[in-house]
Amino acid sequence: MENVPEDFPKKGIFPFKILLLWGIFFSFGFFPKAWAQAPVLDIRVDSRENLCYVATGEPGGLYRFSPSDFSNLGGRIPEKPLYSLSLSPQGDLLLATFEEVLLSRNRGESWGSLKGGGEFKNFYVTRKGTFLGVSWKRGLLWASPEKPEMQQSSGDMGNFLVTGVLENSLGMLWAGTFGGGVFFSSDGGRSWEPIEEGLENPFVLSLAWNASEEVLYAGTYRGGVYRKVRENSWEPFSRGLPEYATVQALEMDERGRLWGGTYREGCFVNPLGGGEWRPFSKGNPPLSITCLAPFSDGMLGGTDTGKLLFAPSESAAWIPLNFSNPFTGFAETQSGKLYALSRSGVFYASPDGGKSWKEEGSMESAFPCNALTALLEESFLAGTSRGTWLSEDRGKSWIFRSFPEIPERESSNEFSPPSGERGDLVGMVRQGFSLVAATRYKGLFRSSQGWSWEFLGGSEAVEGEYVSCITSDGGSRLALGTERGLSFSLDGGESWENIYVNYGISSALFDESGTLWGVSRNGLWRFSLSEKEAFRASIKGYEWSPFAYFTEIFPGEKGLLGILRDSLVRLDRTSEGEFDFLLQSSSLRNVNVRSYLRSSSGKLLLGTERGFYLSEDGGDRWTEGTLPLGIFHLFEKR
């Protein structure tokens, strides 16, 4: 973490972790039931740079994109769930997490910690120069460069949870509370006063401001929307909304329309002239919209299931956007040129050793692409679960070659794969002058140069029902990881032997010396194929537990790289023995790896579910690459 400027508050914030109001979180989708479906918490737009930032409730769920490119910013932030994201008037990012508040002054490239111990669910910088924190326990707190210690704001706000703060261009602030209505501040949050006359439902979830008409809107829990025109009292503004609608997101678009996102009732738009809400797109099942933000001549919407939606101007329905289009394959030619393949089938080349990428071509694959091999200088093979795509003109055009059908086989237990299913493509490796591909349901195939594939017999000798990984030494030795352990072949896959490992092998590789390594949920293993045994490796600085185990390994500069609790670590060899390692941390966290390459120049390239990373020092420090294909182009290609 970089040093934080002294004008930001650090004192007076005591460590406090609290899981509060679970019922509210689960009801409104503010907190994830499972990280795989973490809700979109905040969408913030920097109109000066035409950039959009999206935060989800999962660890590392922070993204930045423009209409033309995409980056994940979560690889260097702590491995804790996120609470909220705000954007200061100067363009600084403030991220409230389970453990602390983070600050970035360079568009999320690096972060400093403001501490906070997880006390703050929101943190803002106001136009009047104050720092405003929404505490889970103490409500609204403020500080300033002159008074950096966070202190309680004045005004009787009770013990109500503050659901959010809204600021207009003149620095006026409004705070919505769950049970206490709306409060107003004109001094940067130092003091607050209630504005409650006419607000029949005090359970406020969202606020919006119409600057041209000077109208404040409030969305409530099971009470629709209220509006307050200038100094007048609040009045109901729910005509056209479902009865007892919970409106948890409000936003004005660039055309002067008011958008309302509801819980399980979809989204509604009010043109304001007629004063009646009209359904925009309910979805099936109806959507729960958690946040809204105008962007790129349209409206972005986040959902409680982690989906990001976009409504272009004049559109009548949401268009789902992909948070990322990750690199799922890397390849290097003999001349040292680097190439990459995205999950959607876009083929890229790098003119500068992996720092930047340009699109070379794409394939119209109906199935995700997740493997890439360079055959010759201009010939490449891209893998899917159904077969491979072959290009002989450096990715400009592609030809599909299907895998053959897998012969029917009897299952040794109750497991039986779906009829005709091969499962996802696990990997594709070189084996002498041939290629071998493996799919999840023990589908093993061989090809000479990718023009045709044949079923590789003998897989019935592979113990287990699922294949998790495939590796090769480039010659006749092949190895498969299964839920039973390791299966290996010394004759190119004609026959197989098995080594049982408790919990199975999730990732395996041959290192530069030809030693075979694998990881399971209870250790790092070295395999002796001649003795048909597995030996647990010694790792200094690491103690196994059911919550701390390796899921993947990769070849490193000084030994191995591994994924431990979603963080990338180095396993450097020690002088104590050939098979002893020292655990070293790296700067990369919150990663779900999809592809890996160690180039001939020593650079390490890592494609993750959310983004792409490059290391030039053996895996200690990583820089995040920007993918050149933006999310808006992705939906145009569909």
Side-chain angles (χ1 to χ4, degrees):
M1 294 273 183
E2 63 180 10
N3 292 326
V4 177
E6 294 182 356
D7 59 339
F8 273 79
K10 299 180 184 178
K11 301 178 181 178
I13 307 175
F14 63 90
F16 183 78
K17 297 180 181 179
I18 183 170
L19 298 178
L20 181 65
L21 297 173
W22 281 93
I24 295 175
F25 284 132
F26 284 138
S27 295
F28 304 145
F30 288 163
F31 207 84
K33 295 181 180 180
W35 303 132
Q37 292 186 335
V40 178
L41 300 174
D42 281 310
I43 303 174
R44 302 293 176 179
V45 175
D46 189 341
S47 56
R48 296 166 300 183
E49 299 193 44
N50 200 25
L51 289 175
C52 184
Y53 300 90
V54 177
T56 68
E58 61 192 323
L62 184 62
Y63 308 87
R64 180 190 68 205
F65 59 86
S66 73
S68 60
D69 57 43
F70 176 93
S71 295
N72 168 244
L73 304 177
R76 290 185 298 277
I77 62 177
E79 309 96 322
K80 296 296 180 181
L82 309 183
Y83 284 160
S84 63
L85 175 71
S86 68
L87 189 68
S88 78
Q90 296 76 32
D92 300 330
L93 294 171
L94 293 133
L95 186 65
T97 78
F98 187 84
E99 284 195 339
E100 59 193 330
V101 175
L102 303 176
L103 164 71
S104 176
R105 288 187 154 171
N106 55 7
R107 306 192 308 173
E109 296 295 332
S110 60
W111 297 85
S113 176
L114 303 183
K115 308 306 178 185
E119 176 183 0
F120 294 106
K121 68 177 288 288
N122 302 86
F123 203 90
Y124 307 92
V125 177
T126 73
R127 295 181 183 273
K128 294 185 181 294
T130 55
F131 315 114
L132 193 62
V134 177
S135 168
W136 288 104
K137 182 180 180 182
R138 297 188 288 164
L140 284 163
L141 306 175
W142 72 275
S144 68
E146 298 76 27
K147 295 184 177 182
E149 183 174 345
M150 298 296 289
Q151 55 193 298
Q152 196 85 37
S153 300
S154 63
D156 186 11
M157 302 188 71
N159 295 320
F160 302 108
L161 176 71
V162 177
T163 54
V165 176
L166 173 69
E167 184 178 31
N168 71 4
S169 60
L170 300 177
M172 294 188 291
L173 296 169
W174 295 274
T177 68
F178 195 77
V182 179
F183 291 79
F184 170 74
S185 175
S186 60
D187 57 5
R190 295 174 174 87
S191 63
W192 297 84
E193 61 183 66
I195 47 174
E196 55 188 357
E197 186 177 353
L199 187 60
E200 299 172 355
N201 188 319
F203 298 94
V204 177
L205 300 176
S206 54
L207 295 168
W209 172 251
N210 184 344
S212 62
E213 302 293 335
E214 296 185 28
V215 182
L216 180 66
Y217 299 93
T220 67
Y221 168 68
R222 293 180 59 81
V225 177
Y226 289 79
R227 72 175 176 182
K228 186 181 185 305
V229 182
R230 299 182 181 87
E231 301 302 323
N232 297 333
S233 302
W234 290 99
E235 59 181 356
F237 192 67
S238 300
R239 189 155 55 103
L241 291 176
E243 188 176 11
Y244 304 118
T246 293
V247 181
Q248 54 191 19
L250 284 173
E251 188 63 62
M252 298 291 301
D253 69 12
E254 297 174 353
R255 299 170 58 191
R257 300 179 301 174
L258 181 63
W259 291 63
T262 71
Y263 172 66
R264 292 187 177 176
E265 298 281 359
C267 191
F268 294 79
V269 178
N270 195 312
L272 297 184
E276 182 172 349
W277 292 92
R278 301 169 185 171
F280 178 71
S281 180
K282 285 192 172 185
N284 187 21
L287 297 170
S288 287
I289 304 295
T290 56
C291 50
L292 295 160
F295 184 67
S296 190
D297 194 29
M299 182 65 72
L300 287 167
T303 75
D304 62 352
T305 57
K307 294 180 180 178
L308 185 64
L309 309 173
F310 181 63
S313 180
E314 306 298 336
S315 173
W318 291 110
I319 296 172
L321 303 179
N322 291 329
F323 269 127
S324 70
N325 187 28
F327 286 160
T328 53
F330 290 109
E332 182 179 22
T333 61
Q334 290 186 346
S335 65
K337 294 182 179 179
L338 299 179
Y339 297 86
L341 177 71
S342 77
R343 181 163 52 196
S344 68
V346 183
F347 184 71
Y348 299 94
S350 176
D352 51 13
K355 294 181 179 179
S356 64
W357 299 85
K358 63 177 182 178
E359 183 178 338
E360 294 286 305
S362 63
M363 59 206 74
E364 299 297 327
S365 178
F367 300 93
C369 300
N370 52 7
L372 180 66
T373 298
L375 302 176
L376 298 171
E377 193 64 32
E378 294 194 354
S379 299
F380 297 88
L381 203 62
T384 76
S385 61
R386 297 293 175 174
T388 57
W389 292 83
L390 175 66
S391 175
E392 297 184 316
D393 56 3
R394 209 175 63 178
K396 294 179 175 57
S397 61
W398 297 83
I399 300 172
F400 182 70
R401 290 292 181 262
S402 176
F403 291 140
E405 291 296 322
I406 300 177
E408 292 291 333
R409 60 185 175 88
E410 294 185 3
S411 177
S412 59
N413 53 35
E414 294 180 357
F415 172 84
S416 180
S419 178
E421 283 294 321
R422 307 175 179 90
D424 295 333
L425 181 68
V426 168
M428 190 164 53
V429 297
R430 285 191 174 276
Q431 186 246 316
F433 294 102
S434 300
L435 296 160
V436 176
T439 61
R440 182 167 174 78
Y441 297 142
K442 296 169 64 172
L444 300 177
F445 308 95
R446 179 187 283 126
S447 175
S448 57
Q449 287 297 320
W451 276 103
S452 62
W453 291 87
E454 62 178 358
F455 180 71
L456 185 60
S459 63
E460 65 277 359
V462 174
E463 291 186 357
E465 304 293 351
Y466 302 99
V467 175
S468 57
C469 61
I470 181 172
T471 185
S472 168
D473 65 352
S476 60
R477 296 194 299 168
L478 290 171
L480 304 173
T482 74
E483 83 278 11
R484 292 281 296 169
L486 185 93
S487 298
F488 67 92
S489 174
L490 302 178
D491 54 14
E494 297 298 329
S495 61
W496 295 88
E497 300 282 348
N498 299 280
I499 301 175
Y500 174 76
V501 176
N502 195 22
Y503 297 116
I505 294 296
S506 60
S507 180
L509 62 85
F510 286 94
D511 66 14
E512 293 179 347
S513 68
T515 302
L516 178 60
W517 300 91
V519 288
S520 72
R521 290 186 59 179
N522 60 350
L524 170 67
W525 303 91
R526 174 180 62 86
F527 293 99
S528 172
L529 302 186
S530 59
E531 300 176 30
K532 300 180 184 178
E533 288 191 41
F535 301 91
R536 195 191 307 268
S538 171
I539 305 176
K540 187 177 181 180
Y542 165 71
E543 183 176 352
W544 176 87
S545 82
F547 306 103
Y549 54 86
F550 292 91
T551 54
E552 293 181 82
I553 52 172
F554 314 96
E557 185 177 272
K558 302 177 182 178
L560 302 174
L561 299 176
I563 301 296
L564 178 64
R565 289 182 296 191
D566 292 332
S567 293
L568 189 85
V569 297
R570 298 198 336 258
L571 298 173
D572 294 346
R573 298 186 188 276
T574 69
S575 58
E576 299 175 2
E578 181 183 358
F579 306 125
D580 296 322
F581 297 91
L582 175 64
L583 181 70
Q584 303 273 31
S585 62
S586 79
S587 63
L588 196 58
R589 298 180 286 271
N590 303 311
V591 291
N592 186 352
V593 178
R594 296 301 182 193
S595 56
Y596 174 84
L597 176 69
R598 183 182 177 194
S599 71
S600 57
S601 63
K603 295 180 180 178
L604 305 180
L605 289 81
L606 200 68
T608 75
E609 182 63 31
R610 300 191 184 106
F612 157 70
Y613 300 91
L614 173 70
S615 177
E616 300 185 74
D617 63 358
D620 183 19
R621 292 182 298 273
W622 295 81
T623 58
E624 185 168 14
T626 298
L627 303 187
L629 190 61
I631 59 175
F632 295 99
H633 292 131
L634 286 179
F635 81 73
E636 290 170 1
K637 284 179 173 290
R638 289 201 291 267

